[in-house]
Amino acid sequence: MVSDNGPQFVSAEFSEYCSSRGVQHVTTAPFHPQSNGQAERFVDTFKRSMRKIQEGGTTQDEALDVFLASYRSNPNAILPDMQSPAEAMLGRKMRTALELLKPPPAAQAEPANLDRRFQRGDLVYAKFYARNSWKWVPAQIIRELGSVMFEVQTNNQRVHRRHVNQLRKRDSAVGASSEDVDIDHLPFDLLTDSTVAESSSVPLTDHQTSASPTQPSPRPIPFATTRRQQPIRSPRRSSRLRRLPRRLEGYRP
């Protein structure tokens, strides 16, 4: 490291710091600033740039930010391949306002997933949440907010924003009111009762009808009567002996 003979550079603390870090510190000759020409050149560039930026009424702090952003983003001849200081440090080019003059890069074609692509006017099922649960509600795509965000409109003309993971395609031939209730969350007793009802409505075979000709054929049991009746349980009462508190023993009759 090359520096001038300032008191901050020739102090014992700074010399000890450089020696402990393995830094070779060289000072220039007194009254010969040309020996550290690169540093002096930067001081001259900094002063002239700050003076020009502040001529438009910019404050000193704003002018300093503008200078540092310009200096770090411009190519430097000392760096390899004419890189900018920001590119040499970050490993990528620094984005500035001049980048808006360039045409945007072409988007890379992603593999099309037909189940996750929707357009305006498509009929879908949107997931709605209420009372710690959710259900699929018929809706329609009205606007595409991005690659994965859409605005949907329900039957009550309300507009909601949903992610592509919260949408499913819907066939126009299927009625809108048939999916207002979530099928995946039906009670288990309704599913079992419907199975019993379907099995009871199966017609008897010829062998079964010939064995008991006088017995009438069983009729299908209605769905409402196949609900299993839950036994009524009496409230549980404690068998513990209740005693008065000790502080009330003197008040017994």
Side-chain angles (χ1 to χ4, degrees), residues 194-230:
S194 60
T195 306
V196 174
E198 292 177 359
S199 61
S200 61
S201 60
V202 177
L204 297 177
T205 59
D206 297 340
H207 177 72
Q208 294 175 343
T209 53
S210 60
S212 56
T214 58
Q215 184 179 1
S217 60
R219 295 181 180 180
I221 303 176
F223 178 76
T225 60
T226 59
R227 302 286 303 268
R228 288 183 291 183
Q229 298 294 336
Q230 298 292 340

Side-chain angles (χ1 to χ4, degrees), residues 110-125:
E110 298 180 356
N113 192 347
L114 301 180
D115 295 337
R116 295 172 58 89
R117 298 301 304 171
F118 301 98
Q119 297 179 359
R120 182 178 180 181
D122 290 350
L123 301 179
V124 296
Y125 287 117

Side-chain angles (χ1 to χ4, degrees), residues 1 18 61 102 121 178 199 211 215 220 239-240 242-243:
M1 184 179 65
C18 292
D61 294 338
K102 300 180 181 179
S178 60
S199 61
Q215 184 179 1
S239 60
R240 181 173 59 88
R242 300 182 179 275
R243 299 178 181 179

Side-chain angles (χ1 to χ4, degrees), residues 43-159:
V43 172
D44 178 63
T45 302
F46 176 76
K47 290 182 178 180
R48 289 189 294 103
S49 300
M50 291 289 292
R51 190 182 306 110
K52 291 180 181 180
I53 296 174
Q54 288 181 328
E55 288 180 357
T58 308
T59 62
Q60 185 176 0
D61 294 338
E62 293 178 351
L64 180 60
D65 294 338
V66 173
F67 170 76
L68 292 178
S70 302
Y71 184 81
R72 294 169 180 173
S73 60
N74 288 328
N76 197 320
I78 300 178
L79 297 177
D81 299 333
M82 291 293 293
Q83 294 181 346
S84 63
E87 187 177 358
M89 179 178 180
L90 303 176
R92 58 178 177 83
K93 292 185 178 181
M94 184 177 176
R95 182 175 177 84
T96 60
L98 296 177
E99 299 294 334
L100 300 177
L101 301 177
K102 300 180 181 179
Q108 298 180 357
E110 298 180 356
N113 192 347
L114 301 180
D115 295 337
R116 295 172 58 89
R117 298 301 304 171
F118 301 98
Q119 297 179 359
R120 182 178 180 181
D122 290 350
L123 301 179
V124 296
Y125 287 117
K127 185 179 289 188
F128 282 79
Y129 302 84
R131 298 180 180 179
N132 296 330
S133 182
W134 58 268
K135 64 180 179 179
W136 294 104
V137 176
Q140 185 177 8
I141 301 293
I142 60 175
R143 192 173 61 167
E144 184 177 357
L145 301 178
S147 59
V148 294
M149 297 295 294
F150 299 89
E151 279 190 355
V152 299
Q153 184 177 10
T154 56
N155 295 335
N156 54 4
Q157 306 302 320
R158 297 188 61 180
V159 178

